[in-house]
Structures are given as structure tokens and as C-alpha cells.
Amino acid sequence: MSKILVTGATGNVGKYLIHQLLLDGHTVRAFCRNPELVDFPKNVEIISGDILKKDDVEKALNNIDKAFLLMSNDHGSIFSSALAVNKIKHVVLLSSYSVEIDWLSKNNFIAKHHIEGESLLIKNNIPYTFLRPSGFMTTAFQWMDSIKLQNKAFLPYPDLAHAIIHPEDIALCASIALGNDNHIGKSYLLTGPELITPRDQISILSKEIGKNIEVIQLSKDETIKSMSKNLPSIIVDSILELLESKPKIINVSENVKKLTNTKGIPFSTWAKENSHFFK
Ligand SMILES: NC(=O)c1ccc[n+]([C@@H]2O[C@H](COP(=O)([O-])OP(=O)(O)OC[C@H]3O[C@@H](n4cnc5c(N)ncnc54)[C@H](OP(=O)(O)O)[C@@H]3O)[C@@H](O)[C@H]2O)c1
């Protein structure tokens, strides 16, 4: 059993991963900025810090065997350098499916960011596994307010199919990778078990919540305006490129099935678990 550092411990994947690693018998150290806001299981060691601060990262890695690494704004540069010094046995990086899409332009920021993060680990000779998940099911939370307040969902590309993934499946794959050295040096595209459009997602949520949700299709200009409220233009452009280039973003991959020996969690399950947030 190993002592494992989990970055992004409060995030969509991290919160499931902590529980899974404890179940597997590992010792877990959770790294986050505001531990006082979080209710971690009692046997988790908590270390507060910022992934962009060298001292915090070095402290977090002290006496650690393995780590789960979330991409940070510096493409994981500080973390990768610290990993090299600390001789970590294995790092599982949460990368992105965008790395696998060869039709993206060389300037797509999201793809470049993750490619850079992966390259830094390789360059620093860190034993790695790259997990490259598709879009997370949790992205559906972006429709929460308009569904709650207006019974409407404003969708830029209602019929664009995507094999979205439940973060719990990513966490299970991460725990399996961290538990077995055979996964070192491997990269896995991870998706959910089905291709599903945003319109299908709304229909499933409608049934789960018990009310009709109207789908309103946004024009490209409206989409840009809406995304630009929260995101810098370089990210908006990258997301639009991902969304616009193909009628479906990414096919179902068998990797979740192969790694976990499960079918993978469908969106209907995510909707059941989270329907109370949309009421
Ligand atoms: N969302 C998707 O659809 C998608 C698809 C493919 C790949 N990915 C990859 O998955 C990653 C996480 O996805 P997410 O959007 O769902 O995010 P998230 O899980 O909500 O995670 C953000 C996490 O990062 C931590 N964090 C952020 N900045 C930090 C810093 N400077 N120092 C320490 N911790 C910091 C946050 O901790 P605090 O509690 O401290 O805020 C939080 O736990 C993305 O960055 C991307 O690389 C996402």
C-alpha cells in the first residue's frame, strides 16, 4: 500500500478518488487551498496549499510515494519539477480528451495546455499514467439556474453527441492506475458508456425532476457572449473549436470497461444522483 497525494481533493474527481483510495487501503494526503471548508473522512491527512506555490508543493510531496495530479495554470510546471526532486514512484495526471483530437488547430489552448502538462512529466522522467477524460457529466450544472428559475435550458449545440463521463468513473480509473505499476507509461482516453446529446441530457433531467424543460438553441454570437461572462477569450475560442469541428465530439472508448471491469456510469444515473440540485 502507498502514501498518495491527491491534488484537487475538493474537485469533481478528487472527492471520489479519496474515498476509493481509502477503500483500497492506501494512506491519503489531500491537498487543497481551504481545508477548513471541507469535510474529509477522518483518516485523511490534510495539507493546505496552492499548487502554483513551490514551497507548498514541496511540503505536500514530502514523504509521498505516489500522486494524483490535476492540471494547473502553469501546465503543472512547478509540480513536475518538485516531483523530479522528490523521486515520486508514480503520478496519475488528469489530462484531457482534447489531446487525442488531431483535427484541433495547433493553437487550441485547451489541447496545448494538456499536451504541455503531459510533456513536462515525460521531460522530468516522472513515471506517469495519463488519463484523458471526455467532458464531465457535471458540466450539466451550467443549466441548473435557468432550469430552476425558468424551466429552460439554453444550449449552443443541442444535437452534438458526446460520450460524457461521470467523474466517479475517472476516479475509479485513477485509483486502479495508482494501484498497479503496469499502468506506468500508458495513456487512456476515458469516456462514458454512451454517446449522448445535450438535448437527450435535458430530456433525462426533465423526467428525473418531473417537469418539462424547454430547450432554447443559442446562436453562435449568443454562445460567445454567454461563455465570455466567465471565461477568457482564449478558452472560449478553444471550446468553440472543440464544439464546432465535428458532428460528434468523441466516440465511446472501451478503456473504462477494460480498466474497471464495469460498464461505466450512464448520464441517467448522474441525473438521479443530482436531480435535487435542479428543483
Ligand atoms: N470539466 C471537464 O469537462 C473536463 C474535461 C476533460 C478534462 N478535464 C480536466 O479536469 C480538470 C478538473 O476539472 P473540473 O473543471 O471539473 O474542476 P474541479 O474538479 O472542479 O477542480 C478544481 C479543483 O482544483 C483545485 N485547485 C484549483 N486551483 C488550485 C490551486 N491553485 N491550488 C490548489 N488546488 C487548486 C480546486 O481546489 P480548491 O478547493 O482549493 O478550490 C478543486 O479541487 C480540468 O482542469 C481539466 O484539466 C475537465
Side-chain angles (χ1 to χ4, degrees):
M1 291 301 123
S2 306
K3 182 156 186 176
I4 301 181
L5 179 72
V6 177
T7 65
T10 56
N12 285 318
V13 178
K15 67 181 181 206
Y16 289 109
L17 180 59
I18 282 176
H19 287 279
Q20 190 56 50
L21 292 174
L22 290 173
L23 276 177
D24 294 348
H26 298 291
T27 304
V28 177
R29 182 182 290 168
F31 185 63
C32 65
R33 288 177 290 190
N34 302 297
E36 67 284 357
L37 303 178
V38 193
D39 203 10
F40 287 119
K42 279 199 179 59
N43 41 354
V44 169
E45 186 191 325
I46 298 157
I47 186 152
S48 78
D50 192 311
I51 205 168
L52 296 169
K53 293 188 179 152
K54 190 168 171 266
D55 289 352
D56 290 356
V57 169
E58 278 172 0
K59 228 182 284 165
L61 283 171
N62 186 30
N63 244 333
I64 283 290
D65 301 314
K66 302 181 180 183
F68 173 74
L69 175 58
L70 200 84
M71 283 294 301
S72 45
N73 291 345
D74 65 342
H75 319 299
S77 163
I78 291 169
F79 211 93
S80 288
S81 308
L83 284 167
V85 174
N86 280 273
K87 300 259 181 293
I88 294 292
K89 290 185 196 145
H90 187 180
V91 172
V92 171
L93 175 71
L94 183 61
S95 182
S96 156
Y97 72 103
S98 59
V99 169
E100 303 241 347
I101 303 180
D102 57 10
W103 44 259
L104 285 181
S105 71
K106 291 274 175 285
N107 289 324
N108 186 285
F109 178 82
I110 296 175
K112 264 170 65 181
H113 174 57
H114 291 92
I115 289 169
E116 177 70 11
E118 292 187 0
S119 310
L120 284 171
L121 289 180
I122 294 171
K123 212 160 75 190
N124 282 298
N125 288 320
I126 314 293
Y128 69 83
T129 304
F130 299 145
L131 301 184
R132 297 169 171 168
S134 57
F136 295 1
M137 290 181 184
T138 43
T139 307
F141 280 128
Q142 69 189 312
W143 307 320
M144 187 173 68
D145 288 346
S146 68
I147 289 177
K148 263 163 82 167
L149 300 172
Q150 305 169 262
N151 289 345
K152 288 180 182 161
F154 298 90
L155 310 178
Y157 300 92
D159 300 309
L160 181 82
H162 187 70
I164 49 173
I165 186 164
H166 195 307
E168 190 173 1
D169 273 340
I170 306 172
L172 188 54
C173 291
S175 68
I176 287 164
L178 284 163
N180 188 334
D181 290 352
N182 288 337
H183 298 292
I184 290 176
K186 308 246 171 79
S187 307
Y188 298 106
L189 170 67
L190 301 179
T191 71
E194 62 196 342
L195 271 172
I196 180 168
T197 67
R199 199 186 294 281
D200 298 332
Q201 289 176 261
I202 294 298
S203 159
I204 291 168
L205 276 170
S206 266
K207 282 194 197 107
E208 210 45 65
I209 300 165
K211 66 180 183 187
N212 188 42
I213 303 166
E214 188 184 353
V215 169
I216 313 276
Q217 180 156 6
L218 291 176
S219 68
K220 185 169 177 185
D221 283 350
E222 288 166 333
T223 304
I224 294 173
K225 204 167 152 197
S226 151
M227 283 185 184
S228 302
K229 283 183 199 152
N230 306 314
L231 297 168
S233 61
I234 191 166
I235 306 273
V236 173
D237 292 347
S238 303
I239 294 174
L240 282 178
E241 191 188 10
L242 274 166
L243 295 178
E244 284 199 322
S245 303
K246 290 275 154 106
K248 65 172 182 267
I249 302 185
I250 202 140
N251 271 318
V252 174
S253 145
E254 292 293 302
N255 284 334
V256 168
K257 211 189 263 181
K258 284 186 194 151
L259 285 168
T260 67
N261 212 12
T262 70
K263 288 183 183 151
I265 306 169
F267 183 74
S268 54
T269 303
W270 186 92
K272 242 187 208 53
E273 291 165 355
N274 293 284
S275 61
H276 57 286
F277 290 114
F278 293 80
K279 285 181 181 164

